[in-house]
Amino acid sequence: SGHGSIYAVPEQSVAVTGKLTEFKKQGGSGQPITRRFCPVCGSRISATAEAMPGVVLITASSLDNPESFVSQMSVYTSRAPAWDRPPADSPSFPEMPPQA
């Protein structure tokens, strides 16, 4: 796909059941990000980034009700292909938003 929709939630609010496969690589921040996948079908489930301690990034399409997802911002818009532009009605950032 041209993009991934994720929920960023406090780590203590997440409970995942079942076994997941992990893949770790350098993220956009330069720090490691660990992505977790279903070991049977390969669907992306979640990720954690060392640059965001205490936060889990849940893939919206993995939710029981993905319709509950409401986009609040778009990041890395400088990398979006012409055929998949971010929504014009929400904040967007060419890379990651500035840290507060």
Side-chain angles (χ1 to χ4, degrees):
S1 79
H3 65 274
S5 299
I6 60 166
Y7 276 110
V9 298
E11 192 169 25
Q12 69 270 17
S13 69
V14 176
V16 176
T17 58
K19 183 178 173 98
L20 298 177
T21 299
E22 293 185 353
F23 176 75
K24 186 183 261 190
K25 67 173 269 182
Q26 183 177 351
S29 69
Q31 295 183 19
I33 184 167
T34 302
R35 294 186 172 102
R36 292 176 182 83
F37 302 83
C38 171
V40 176
C41 71
S43 294
R44 190 166 140 185
I45 306 298
S46 67
T48 52
E50 287 189 22
M52 299 171 64
V55 174
V56 175
L57 308 170
I58 303 293
T59 305
S61 61
S62 73
L63 299 170
D64 290 337
N65 180 12
E67 291 294 323
S68 66
F69 179 82
V70 177
S71 178
Q72 295 183 5
M73 76 172 78
S74 296
V75 296
Y76 295 108
T77 58
S78 65
R79 304 176 193 188
W83 49 265
D84 191 19
R85 304 308 303 169
D89 61 345
S90 64
S92 64
F93 302 90
E95 298 296 320
M96 286 297 285
Q99 298 295 314

